[in-house]
């Protein structure tokens, strides 16, 4: 009886914060403006503009995820082997930018990358050509990498610090080279953290619209922008909900993927 009482707030939160909103999205996504059942909102994802935005979103989110992984793994190794990392100082440094508002961090990059911004001012002062990156897919990827890199570093670092040092020393004692130890010992034992980090970066990158709005200048139209416009500008909740349901499929697939490789939650940052 006591357990049921303590679980009541959690159940209420799940009901009001998850089940009811999903039910509303499903209702609008599977009906038209008159309330009649239809598949048109779901099938609209295959239309020209929507499919193009989805493919671009997949490409940019995949690129940002790969870049984050390439940067995060060496950083995780450095944090693992450094005294500063063990004391938590370097981890704190990575987390610190996350305390700042997400939009402010993105706006800062907008100021840095614009044609008359800080970066081009420095380049011009030393006689180098201006960097024309703002309002391009490259700027959007840069914003994604900056904003989501900590979500890749932390789970990888969490997996690395759980590796027993004696296992690595045993591999060296048996004659394994540094490259072999990395390839056959460290990386396989870090797979849960890698999968967790990939999921935590790929999913928000795929659904983002704020970064592409600010750094893409309206010229980089991702599927998140399409959905946001359907809800706010066009007031077409039915089409926006239908497209959102398709995006939920990608999220469910990613969750199933992480569950397969991280059954014990070893890659969790908590």
């Amino acid at each position: 009886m006591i357990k049921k009482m303590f679980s009541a707030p959690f159940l209420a939160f799940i009901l009001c914060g998850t089940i009811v909103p999903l039910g509303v999205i499903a209702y609008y996504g599977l009906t038209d403006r008159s309330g009649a059942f239809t598949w048109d909102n779901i099938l609209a994802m295959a239309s020209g503009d929507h499919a193009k935005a989805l493919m671009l979103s997949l490409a940019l989110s995949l690129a940002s995820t790969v870049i984050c992984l390439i940067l995060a793994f060496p950083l995780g190794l450095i944090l693992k082997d450094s005294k500063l990392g063990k004391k938590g100082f370097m981890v704190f440094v990575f987390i610190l930018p996350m305390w700042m508002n997400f939009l402010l961090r993105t706006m800062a990059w907008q100021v840095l990358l614009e044609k008359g911004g800080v970066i081009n001012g420095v380049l011009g002062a030393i006689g180098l050509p201006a960097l024309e990156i703002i309002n391009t897919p490259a700027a959007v990827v840069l914003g994604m990498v900056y904003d989501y890199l900590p979500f890749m570093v932390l789970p990888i670092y969490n997996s690395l610090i759980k590796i027993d040092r004696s296992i690595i020393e045993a591999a060296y004692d048996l004659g394994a080279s540094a490259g072999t130890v990395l390839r056959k010992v460290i990386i396989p034992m870090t797979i849960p953290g890698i999968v967790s980090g990939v999921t935590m970066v790929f999913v928000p990158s795929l659904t983002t619209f704020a970064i592409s709005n600010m750094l893409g200048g309206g010229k980089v139209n991702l599927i998140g922008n399409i959905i946001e416009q359907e809800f706010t500008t066009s007031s077409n909740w039915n089409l926006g909900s239908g497209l959102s349901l398709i995006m939920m499929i990608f999220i469910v697939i990613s969750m199933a993927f992480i569950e397969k490789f991280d059954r014990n939650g070893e890659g969790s940052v908590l």
Side-chain angles (χ1 to χ4, degrees), residues 182-195:
L182 177 65
R183 188 174 65 257
K184 295 189 176 182
V185 178
I186 296 178
I187 292 180
M189 297 186 71
T190 318
I191 289 297
I194 293 175
V195 174

Side-chain angles (χ1 to χ4, degrees), residues 3-234:
K3 291 183 179 180
K4 293 182 178 180
M5 292 177 59
F6 279 111
S7 65
F10 176 75
L11 294 175
F13 174 79
I14 292 297
L15 178 63
C16 298
T18 303
I19 297 178
V20 172
L22 286 177
V24 172
I25 292 296
Y27 169 76
Y28 279 105
L30 295 173
T31 58
D32 57 20
R33 291 180 182 270
S34 65
F37 177 82
T38 181
W39 289 105
D40 291 345
N41 300 318
I42 303 294
L43 298 177
M45 183 63 83
S47 66
D49 292 339
H50 297 156
K52 182 179 179 181
L54 177 60
M55 292 299 104
L56 181 59
S57 298
L58 287 170
L60 296 189
S61 57
L62 181 60
S64 62
T65 301
V66 171
I67 294 173
C68 283
L69 178 58
I70 293 174
L71 295 175
F73 198 87
L75 287 174
L77 290 173
I78 293 172
L79 290 176
K80 175 182 178 297
D81 296 330
S82 67
K83 294 181 179 179
L84 289 176
K86 294 178 181 177
K87 293 180 179 179
F89 175 76
M90 293 299 294
V91 177
F92 170 76
V93 170
F94 280 104
I95 297 177
L96 186 60
M98 299 172 64
W99 293 5
M100 187 185 301
N101 183 273
F102 171 81
L103 293 178
L104 289 178
R105 299 201 309 268
T106 307
M107 189 179 298
W109 273 108
Q110 189 178 29
V111 174
L112 290 171
L113 295 175
E114 62 186 6
K115 293 182 178 180
V118 176
I119 294 178
N120 282 334
V122 173
L123 292 176
I126 60 178
L128 295 177
L131 186 66
E132 298 182 0
I133 189 176
I134 193 69
N135 300 336
T136 66
V140 176
V141 171
L142 178 60
M144 290 179 179
V145 170
Y146 174 77
D147 284 315
Y148 301 133
L149 181 59
F151 297 109
M152 182 72 78
V153 173
L154 294 179
I156 290 178
Y157 168 73
N158 188 64
S159 291
L160 286 170
I161 61 175
K162 292 180 179 179
I163 299 177
D164 192 340
R165 184 65 187 177
S166 61
I167 298 177
I168 299 177
E169 292 175 351
Y172 281 119
D173 291 340
L174 292 173
S177 64
T180 302
V181 172
L182 177 65
R183 188 174 65 257
K184 295 189 176 182
V185 178
I186 296 178
I187 292 180
M189 297 186 71
T190 318
I191 289 297
I194 293 175
V195 174
S196 180
V198 166
T199 305
M200 294 173 67
V201 172
F202 181 77
V203 171
S205 297
L206 182 63
T207 57
T208 188
F209 63 89
I211 297 177
S212 51
N213 273 340
M214 300 179 70
L215 298 182
K219 298 179 180 179
V220 182
N221 214 19
L222 305 183
I223 191 62
N225 299 108
I226 298 289
I227 295 175
E228 186 259 345
Q229 291 165 10
E230 293 297 340
F231 278 103
T232 59
T233 305
S234 303

